[in-house]
Amino acid sequence: MKDSATIATRLKRLIDEARSQKEVARMAGVSDGTLINWARGLGLRESKVREVARNLGISVEWLRDGAGDEDAELAAFRARLSARGTGSRRALQFARERAGLSLRDLARLTGYQAAILEQLENGSIRASEKLIETLCHALPSLAKEDLMEGSDYPMIVSESGPHATHGAKPHMNLPPGVTGRNVPLLSMAQAGQWGADHSDALYDYTAIFAPNVDDHRAFAIKISGNSMEPALNEGDFVICSPEQPLHNGEAAVVRTRSEQVFIKYWEKRGDRIILSSANDDYKPLEFPVSEIAGAWPVVQHISSGKVKRQH
């Protein structure tokens, strides 16, 4: 859009106010990568500006055009930021920092991976009771009630539609011949750690109904960012089936040994792996086969409640 450069300037101003690019991305409801692109003046569509402004607590007129009182807009943003600063995820961060520990330090003390602890601390997932008790043992100033109160996310998931609590039986009337199961809904970081032995810390007990999926290791993730548009749009869900073979040209969740996780089109060329985006603005990524730690094919794409099979 024509004012993307000035929008980028105002987004950078908000990042400076929050002192955290990640926090502004979470408030806006987008991935870090998407916010980085916007702050560079790339990729923010007119249709998205209103939603982003609402999430950030500012007016669309100021974000888009710079109209209005900037001091008042920044005050409104700080108020929204402060409101997010209460609750369980902040309690964990404060307790960790009070103990003088980094996320890696806490990972060593608890036996849980730093990526999972970061997801919990930034509000992307909920913890299991087992993980909470482990954290409280490692951080004596942290009370179990601080993390069990559900102040950032509701602890009860509505099971009237495709969403459910992980492990619950589907409460849906299915057509004849159609089967299905609730599969765990993971973040990208969680998906990178998903394996045969499902630790109860690796998901937040939210699930998505996947029709005609029998793989008991199957999982779902929610798309963030625009690298796979228009094939997979931000906010869509995909179902991955680790039991299914992965073929060239298919979409997959791919994890590298350096713990990067991507959703890309997969192609194996000799001893190299090429990961391509649907969006031409993103260049293909290339890795040696030895750098790939895992790859799980996308077997279903759920957009606006409609299921599209990928195989």
Side-chain angles (χ1 to χ4, degrees):
M1 54 186 300
K2 69 177 183 178
D3 292 328
S4 60
T6 52
I7 289 177
T9 299
R10 285 184 281 281
L11 286 174
K12 291 176 183 177
R13 185 76 175 89
L14 297 178
I15 291 170
D16 289 342
E17 284 288 326
R19 297 183 180 180
S20 170
Q21 178 180 287
K22 287 180 178 290
E23 185 67 19
V24 176
R26 286 192 291 271
M27 290 176 68
V30 300
S31 68
D32 291 348
T34 296
L35 184 69
I36 290 172
N37 284 336
W38 291 351
R40 292 172 177 168
L42 303 173
L44 180 54
R45 301 186 301 270
E46 175 73 36
S47 59
K48 193 73 173 176
V49 174
R50 190 170 299 278
E51 177 187 344
V52 170
R54 181 178 65 250
N55 290 344
L56 295 176
I58 58 179
S59 71
V60 65
E61 292 79 12
W62 181 75
L63 178 60
R64 183 182 58 207
D65 306 318
D69 185 338
E70 179 168 300
D71 289 341
E73 296 290 344
L74 294 177
F77 173 73
R78 287 192 292 268
R80 177 66 60 88
L81 182 67
S82 177
R84 287 175 57 88
T86 60
S88 58
R89 65 186 183 85
R90 287 301 190 194
L92 174 58
Q93 180 182 352
F94 291 156
R96 176 179 62 78
E97 293 177 348
R98 187 176 184 180
L101 299 175
S102 67
L103 282 167
R104 291 186 180 277
D105 294 333
L106 188 57
R108 284 192 290 269
L109 283 174
T110 61
Y112 289 100
Q113 296 196 12
I116 297 302
L117 299 178
E118 182 179 18
Q119 290 288 314
L120 176 62
E121 195 170 279
N122 70 28
S124 298
I125 63 170
R126 288 176 295 231
S128 66
E129 189 168 4
K130 176 184 174 183
L131 173 53
I132 288 173
E133 290 174 346
T134 303
L135 288 169
C136 290
H137 180 75
L139 300 170
S141 66
L142 186 64
K144 182 176 178 179
E145 293 75 17
D146 290 338
L147 297 183
M148 292 291 286
E149 64 183 357
S151 58
D152 295 305
Y153 289 85
M155 297 301 288
I156 299 175
V157 178
S158 171
E159 297 182 350
S160 58
H163 287 76
T165 302
H166 178 59
K169 293 182 179 179
H171 296 285
M172 302 178 72
N173 293 321
L174 302 177
V178 176
T179 62
R181 54 192 301 271
N182 291 325
V183 301
L185 177 61
L186 309 181
S187 69
M188 287 291 284
Q190 293 169 320
Q193 305 299 332
W194 199 241
D197 299 323
H198 301 334
S199 165
D200 68 350
L202 287 181
Y203 51 86
D204 67 359
Y205 301 111
T206 301
I208 290 290
F209 179 74
N212 297 320
V213 172
D214 297 324
D215 183 357
H216 288 276
R217 294 174 58 206
F219 60 87
I221 60 173
K222 186 176 182 179
I223 301 294
S224 62
N226 64 353
S227 69
M228 291 299 285
E229 292 182 352
L232 305 173
N233 297 307
E234 187 162 25
D236 290 354
F237 297 93
V238 294
I239 309 297
C240 295
S241 176
E243 289 186 356
Q244 295 292 324
L246 177 57
H247 303 104
N248 281 353
E250 293 178 343
V253 173
V254 181
R255 176 168 64 91
T256 69
R257 296 197 181 280
S258 58
E259 298 190 357
Q260 296 174 292
V261 182
F262 306 96
I263 301 179
K264 300 290 183 185
Y265 290 126
W266 168 275
E267 184 177 358
K268 185 175 185 294
R269 299 180 189 171
D271 62 352
R272 309 292 293 180
I273 299 297
I274 311 299
L275 301 180
S276 301
S277 301
N279 187 335
D280 292 337
D281 290 340
Y282 293 81
K283 295 181 179 179
L285 305 172
E286 185 172 340
F287 299 93
V289 170
S290 59
E291 176 60 17
I292 303 300
W296 302 275
V298 172
V299 296
Q300 287 182 9
H301 169 210
I302 302 174
S303 175
S304 302
K306 298 180 179 179
V307 178
K308 304 174 185 177
R309 293 195 64 82
Q310 301 294 298
H311 284 263

